[in-house]
Structures are given as C-alpha cells and as structure tokens.
Amino acid sequence: VHLAQHNLTAQWDEQISTTQVLRSIDESSQLIHSCTYPAAGGLISPREFVDLLFRERDPSSGRFEIVDQDTQV
C-alpha cells in the first residue's frame, strides 16, 4: 500500500472535493492537501486541510498502519 492511495479518499468520502500530495518526505511520509465541498446549503464553507501521513509496519502482526495528523487551514 503506497501512501499516494490517500488520493483515493475523494472516491469514498463524498465530502472531499480534491486531494493533492504536497510533498513526499520519504517512503513512509507524505504531506497531503485536501479540500471539502460546501455543506448545509452553503452555510458551512469549503474547508482545507493539510495532513501528515506516516506509514509503518506493525512488527507483531506484519500489517501496515497509517497514522494521520491533520490541521485545518
């Protein structure tokens, strides 16, 4: 699983209008910019987020875990 699959979020999250990789820091870390659509008939403005995604393998299970820390712009 590559972190770029975060861009697929717009396919399953109907609130996301766009996603873009701002920077690939290394194989395990990326900065992602996401935008949402307006909501509640325009009462809630579109929002922007910057996420730091970090992927690591759990040594006990061998599964990958993705840690996501975001902030609203």
Side-chain angles (χ1 to χ4, degrees), residues 4 7 11 13 23 31 46-47 51-52 54 56 60 65 73:
N7 288 334
Q11 291 181 6
D13 186 344
R23 179 170 294 185
L31 284 174
R47 293 169 291 155
D51 296 278
L52 173 60
F54 177 74
E56 65 183 0
S60 63
E65 296 177 349
V73 178

Side-chain angles (χ1 to χ4, degrees), residues 28-65:
S28 300
S29 306
Q30 288 182 328
L31 284 174
I32 307 289
H33 177 259
S34 302
C35 297
T36 63
Y37 291 108
L43 293 175
I44 300 173
S45 299
R47 293 169 291 155
E48 297 182 53
F49 298 90
V50 175
D51 296 278
L52 173 60
L53 296 178
F54 177 74
R55 179 187 73 171
E56 65 183 0
R57 186 179 293 262
D58 180 339
S60 63
S61 69
R63 293 184 293 187
F64 281 103
E65 296 177 349

Side-chain angles (χ1 to χ4, degrees), residues 15-34:
Q15 297 299 317
I16 301 294
S17 61
T18 62
T19 59
Q20 175 186 9
V21 177
L22 297 175
R23 179 170 294 185
S24 291
I25 299 166
D26 56 32
E27 278 188 12
S28 300
S29 306
Q30 288 182 328
L31 284 174
I32 307 289
H33 177 259
S34 302

